């Protein structure tokens, strides 16, 4: 094959530029979300002690009032607990009632009634934030996972990604947004505790730094080791969450997903994303090489006049 | 006087380029055919449904919910659509990079199918997105670089551009712009290489989206290899779609073809069938490795395990052997049946991953509303009509007299 210098430079240059772009992507690849947001000792969290919750739903009412949402349905009515509810576009937190066998209880003992509050867990390294293609969801160093509605395109991948089934979508609206618990980030900026923690009458909610709350949770478990399940839900689930739960009945009996992997969710797609620059680097030289060989093979046999005209029109 | 000349020129241009050399009246009368009536009915029902979705929102038009945020617009329009549009990069690399020029006669139609496939994927996405006008945001406004979806967005945008460039020579031949066409043709190799890179990454990325939902996707479909499955099966989808599309095109657009093209197409179909058999078997083998890797054999006896086997045997192994049998015994018909089965299999797989396996363990399951089905049917119909409009005018199946082609 007659490779003149110009043709060679053209080929090599094309492959080189494409590979260099790939290499640049390797060098300047974005650091992982977890690396960018180091969860400091003073990042906030919330401890939910389900043994103390009385199911009054004052937290639901306070949440709706703070976020100017419609008042919770069937407030003060027991029938609301007939079926398990989830967070909706108009309710950022819900309290559910479960009947569960107490941990130390004998077989046949009457079922214990437990109430569990559900809202965004504010993961230390959130799946939703790493899944969002426009950074509409973002983990703040202070702790809350916040939503920038001005960026959201409404693809709902965050809802698929969230292992706790938290983000909701305003399906009922023509111009919808995603909604979820904000951890009352505005109140926190004014040195106020989240609305739910402020109104909780039974001491089920404790607001503080995540680090201190973990110690509180473990202290309660150690002091009453017979009663509590020896696990702080959220310490390691999905790589850790800002909201922590302790309970005296098995977690799976009171609505918790116990199949959530104990690793940060962004890691799940990180393996794939870190392969991207290598495809960008290795494909161009490989494909250009393949092209050069196949052209050489074709040109090795004598071409007819007709074939030559084709080459010029179809290069 | 001057205006009159101008009008005459534009009328004859429209007559030549748009109305297929007929007068407006003749052209309109020619449109009255049974299939056009079917298409008109679909559009008459479907376009108002799409308008309804935009006027009243996703809640009014779909069965999507907080638990099931993705429906058939994602499972069929986007995931299956992108896979079935893979014929563009598959055939372009066959012809230009591997140098197998005997496949040139089906290349342009494959590139056109690919371009329109992606174009209507974006249309489907616009219907599905909550705030569709923000679709360029990941490209121009806010960069969520940790997201697999970010990669998909960029690549679909870039690849749509690349496919348009790849199809440009046909457009410029139709318009008679010789110089521009020569420039466009020079981009071919670069565009092909770029197209393969983009396709490798976003085809696999669509699978990687589901890596984020380990507790939600049924273990038989959740695998660390899912990006590889999506990429390898997209090659099958591309080859099978080219076989199906070229068989249909050669029947429907018979008048555009020179004598001898049918024998060519038989040879091409057999060759593509052979390639499809090999790739499909690789895919089957990779699926087995995934099954062994996850050690999920016991799940095969559950109801969803049975459905998994239907997919793996009925839509992978059966078409694989049928492709091999057809290519070996030189039975073009068998290859075409295998291709149709493989195309169906791709849709079954994408729907399985995104709708059947996702949230399999949740009580609330999703079934599409009639409006969602109607919208999907309408978008597919629009795609077919656009394909036909272009094939009837531009040199896709036939050669332009001024540009003798390779075949």
């Amino acid at each position: 094959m007659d490779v003149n210098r110009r043709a060679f430079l053209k080929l090599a240059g094309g492959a080189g530029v494409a590979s260099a772009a790939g290499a640049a992507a390797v060098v300047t690849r974005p650091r992982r979300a977890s690396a960018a947001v180091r969860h400091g000792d003073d990042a906030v969290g919330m401890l939910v002690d389900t043994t103390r919750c009385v199911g009054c739903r004052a937290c639901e009412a306070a949440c709706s009032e703070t976020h100017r949402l419609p008042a919770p349905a069937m407030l003060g009515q027991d029938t609301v607990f007939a079926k398990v509810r989830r967070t909706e576009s108009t309710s950022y937190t819900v309290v559910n009632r479960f009947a569960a066998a107490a941990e130390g209880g004998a077989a046949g003992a009457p079922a214990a009634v437990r109430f569990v509050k559900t809202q965004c867990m504010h993961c230390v390294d959130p799946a939703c934030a790493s899944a969002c293609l426009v950074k509409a969801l973002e983990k703040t160093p202070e702790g809350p996972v916040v939503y920038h509605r001005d960026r959201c395109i409404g693809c709902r991948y965050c809802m698929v990604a969230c292992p706790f089934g938290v983000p909701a979508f305003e399906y009922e609206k023509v111009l919808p947004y995603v909604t979820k618990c904000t951890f009352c980030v505005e109140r926190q900026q004014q040195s106020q505790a989240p609305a739910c923690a402020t109104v909780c009458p039974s001491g089920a909610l404790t607001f503080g730094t995540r680090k201190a709350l973990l110690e509180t949770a473990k202290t309660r478990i150690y002091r009453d080791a017979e009663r509590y399940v020896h696990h702080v839900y959220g310490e390691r689930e999905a790589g850790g969450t800002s909201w922590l739960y302790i309970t005296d009945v098995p977690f799976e009996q009171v609505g918790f997903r116990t199949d959530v992997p104990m690793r940060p969710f962004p890691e799940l797609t990180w393996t794939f994303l870190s392969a991207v620059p290598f495809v960008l680097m290795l494909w161009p030289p490989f494909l250009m090489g393949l092209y050069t060989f196949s052209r050489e093979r074709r040109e090795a046999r004598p071409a007819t006049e007709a074939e030559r005209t084709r080459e010029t029109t179809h290069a | 006087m001057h205006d009159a000349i101008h009008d005459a020129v534009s009328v004859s241009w429209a007559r030549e380029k748009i109305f297929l050399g007929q007068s407006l009246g003749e052209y309109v009368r020619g449109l009255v055919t049974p299939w056009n009536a079917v298409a008109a009915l679909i559009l008459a029902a479907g376009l108002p449904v799409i308008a309804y979705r935009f006027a009243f929102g996703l809640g009014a038009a779909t069965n999507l919910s907080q638990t099931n945020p993705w429906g058939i617009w994602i499972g069929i329009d986007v995931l299956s659509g992108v896979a079935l549009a893979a014929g563009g990069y598959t055939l372009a690399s066959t012809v230009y990079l591997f140098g197998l020029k005997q496949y040139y006669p089906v290349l342009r139609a494959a590139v056109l199918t690919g371009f329109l496939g992606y174009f209507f994927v974006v249309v489907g996405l616009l219907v599905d997105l909550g705030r569709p006008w923000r679709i360029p945001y990941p490209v121009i406004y806010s960069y969520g670089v940790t997201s697999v979806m970010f990669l998909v967005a960029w690549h679909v945008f870039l690849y749509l551009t690349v496919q348009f460039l790849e199809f440009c020579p046909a457009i410029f031949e139709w318009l008679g712009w010789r110089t521009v066409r020569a420039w466009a043709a020079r981009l071919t190799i670069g565009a092909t290489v770029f197209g393969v890179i983009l396709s490798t990454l976003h085809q696999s990325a669509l699978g990687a989206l589901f890596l984020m939902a380990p507790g939600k996707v049924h273990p038989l479909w959740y695998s660390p290899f899912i990006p590889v499955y999506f990429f390898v099966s997209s090659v099958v989808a591309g080859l099978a779609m080219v076989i199906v599309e070229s068989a249909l095109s050669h029947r429907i657009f018979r008048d555009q073809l020179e004598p001898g093209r049918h024998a060519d197409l038989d040879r091409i179909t057999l060759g593509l069938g052979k390639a499809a058999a090999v790739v499909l078997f690789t895919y089957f083998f990779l699926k087995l490795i995934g099954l062994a890797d996850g050690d999920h054999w016991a799940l095969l006896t559950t109801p969803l395990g049975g459905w998994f086997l239907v997919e793996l045997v009925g839509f992978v192994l059966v078409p694989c052997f049928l492709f091999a049998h057809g290519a070996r015994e030189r039975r073009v018909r068998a290859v075409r049946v295998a291709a149709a089965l493989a195309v169906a299999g791709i849709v079954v797989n994408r729907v399985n991953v995104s709708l059947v396996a996702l949230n399999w363990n949740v009580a609330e399951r999703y079934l599409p509303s009639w409006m969602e089905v109607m919208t999907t049917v309408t978008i597919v119909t629009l795609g077919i009509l656009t394909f036909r409009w272009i094939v009837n005018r531009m040199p896709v199946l036939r050669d332009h007299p001024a540009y003798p082609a390779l075949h």
Side-chain angles (χ1 to χ4, degrees), chain B residues 156-230:
Chain B
V156 168
F157 157 69
L158 289 173
Y159 192 49
L160 201 56
T161 316
V162 165
Q163 294 226 304
F164 180 72
L165 286 178
E166 286 186 291
F167 190 67
C168 266
I171 300 176
F172 295 141
E173 285 169 23
W174 170 60
L175 294 171
W177 299 355
R178 270 199 106 95
T179 328
V180 197
R181 187 214 169 274
W183 277 101
R186 266 181 213 147
L187 295 172
T188 304
I189 296 299
T192 306
V193 171
F194 197 39
V196 174
I197 296 165
L198 294 173
S199 297
T200 313
L201 288 172
H202 72 251
Q203 293 284 1
S204 51
L206 286 174
L209 287 177
F210 294 91
L211 288 174
M212 203 51 123
K216 296 183 183 177
V217 179
H218 189 279
L220 282 174
W221 281 276
Y222 186 89
S223 158
F225 303 129
I226 196 168
V228 179
Y229 294 156
F230 268 55

Side-chain angles (χ1 to χ4, degrees), chain A residues 28-39 124-127 129-130 135 139 238-239 263-274, chain B residues 144-147 212:
Chain A
T28 63
R29 72 180 166 192
R31 285 179 302 160
R32 277 214 2 235
S34 64
V37 184
R38 273 279 157 243
H39 208 68
V124 173
D125 203 351
S130 96
K135 284 203 290 194
K139 176 72 178 178
R263 54 191 279 217
F265 269 50
E267 279 181 10
L268 294 167
T269 48
W270 185 246
T271 321
F272 172 77
L273 287 174
S274 35
Chain B
V145 288
T146 53
S147 173
M212 203 51 123

Side-chain angles (χ1 to χ4, degrees), chain B residues 19-32:
Chain B
F19 301 130
L20 304 171
Q22 301 160 318
S23 75
L24 182 58
E26 285 169 336
Y27 177 69
V28 171
R29 272 193 299 280
L31 287 180
V32 184

Side-chain angles (χ1 to χ4, degrees), chain A residues 130-131 133-134 149 152-157 159-160 162 168-169 171 175-177 257 273 283 290 294 310 314-315, chain B residues 55 59 65-66 69-70 96-98 101 104 128 130-131 134 142 144 146-147 185 189 200 209 212 215-216 361 406:
Chain A
S130 96
L133 78 168
V134 285
R149 52 158 53 188
C152 180
I153 67 171
C155 75
R156 310 187 292 286
Y157 186 33
M159 298 167 74
V160 173
C162 176
F169 194 66
Y171 287 109
L175 304 177
Y177 288 112
R257 282 190 86 142
L273 287 174
W283 261 143
L290 203 67
S294 77
R310 277 186 231 153
H314 277 282
Chain B
S65 67
Q66 308 301 359
W70 285 353
Y96 293 122
L97 301 183
F98 304 159
K101 301 283 172 184
Y104 185 79
D128 183 79
R131 297 185 161 252
R134 289 182 175 180
S142 185
T146 53
S147 173
I189 296 299
T200 313
L209 287 177
M212 203 51 123
K216 296 183 183 177
N361 46 7
L406 301 142

Side-chain angles (χ1 to χ4, degrees), chain B residues 95-387:
Chain B
V95 172
Y96 293 122
L97 301 183
F98 304 159
L100 302 173
K101 301 283 172 184
Q102 63 269 35
Y103 293 100
Y104 185 79
V106 292
L107 175 64
R108 271 199 180 168
V111 171
L112 179 61
T113 314
F115 171 67
L116 292 179
Y118 276 85
F119 184 83
F120 284 96
V121 161
V122 174
V123 171
L125 206 52
L126 288 173
V127 177
D128 183 79
L129 287 179
R131 297 185 161 252
W133 67 93
R134 289 182 175 180
I135 200 170
Y137 273 22
V139 179
I140 57 167
Y141 181 64
S142 185
Y143 310 118
V145 288
T146 53
S147 173
V148 176
M149 192 74 99
F150 178 74
L151 185 144
V152 174
W154 264 91
H155 282 212
V156 168
F157 157 69
L158 289 173
Y159 192 49
L160 201 56
T161 316
V162 165
Q163 294 226 304
F164 180 72
L165 286 178
E166 286 186 291
F167 190 67
C168 266
I171 300 176
F172 295 141
E173 285 169 23
W174 170 60
L175 294 171
W177 299 355
R178 270 199 106 95
T179 328
V180 197
R181 187 214 169 274
W183 277 101
R186 266 181 213 147
L187 295 172
T188 304
I189 296 299
T192 306
V193 171
F194 197 39
V196 174
I197 296 165
L198 294 173
S199 297
T200 313
L201 288 172
H202 72 251
Q203 293 284 1
S204 51
L206 286 174
L209 287 177
F210 294 91
L211 288 174
M212 203 51 123
K216 296 183 183 177
V217 179
H218 189 279
L220 282 174
W221 281 276
Y222 186 89
S223 158
F225 303 129
I226 196 168
V228 179
Y229 294 156
F230 268 55
F231 174 64
V232 175
S233 60
S234 85
V235 176
V236 179
L239 294 170
M241 261 312 264
V242 172
I243 294 172
V244 170
E245 171 268 309
S246 62
L248 292 175
S249 291
H250 274 238
R251 283 178 68 160
I252 297 165
F253 304 104
R254 216 176 294 120
D255 52 323
Q256 295 210 14
L257 298 164
E258 297 146 27
R261 273 294 182 91
H262 286 288
D264 269 0
L265 185 64
D266 285 355
R267 258 198 306 282
I268 288 169
T269 303
L270 291 172
L272 292 173
K274 201 157 137 188
V278 174
V279 183
L280 210 42
F281 193 76
T282 313
Y283 177 65
F284 173 76
F285 196 72
L286 289 171
K287 290 287 268 189
L288 282 190
I289 291 177
L291 209 53
D293 177 69
D295 199 15
H296 296 314
W297 305 99
L299 287 173
L300 291 177
T301 52
T302 62
L304 270 176
W307 181 232
F308 179 82
L309 285 177
V310 169
E311 182 196 320
L312 193 60
V313 177
F315 292 102
V316 177
L317 208 54
V318 168
C320 173
F321 285 134
L322 202 54
F323 272 130
H325 168 79
R328 196 187 145 89
E329 306 294 325
R330 310 201 67 75
R331 290 202 185 137
V332 179
R333 238 189 119 75
V335 172
R336 285 183 181 145
V337 172
L341 201 55
V343 166
I346 293 297
V347 179
V348 168
N349 173 257
R350 298 309 192 255
V351 166
N352 275 348
V353 171
S354 63
L355 303 178
V356 178
L358 190 71
N359 284 333
W360 66 284
N361 46 7
V362 176
E364 183 199 331
R365 298 312 318 262
Y366 158 87
L367 273 177
S369 72
W370 71 267
M371 285 195 258
E372 288 177 83
V373 176
M374 197 62 227
T375 301
T376 295
V377 172
T378 306
I379 291 175
V380 173
T381 307
L382 283 172
I384 294 171
L385 290 177
T386 314
F387 183 84

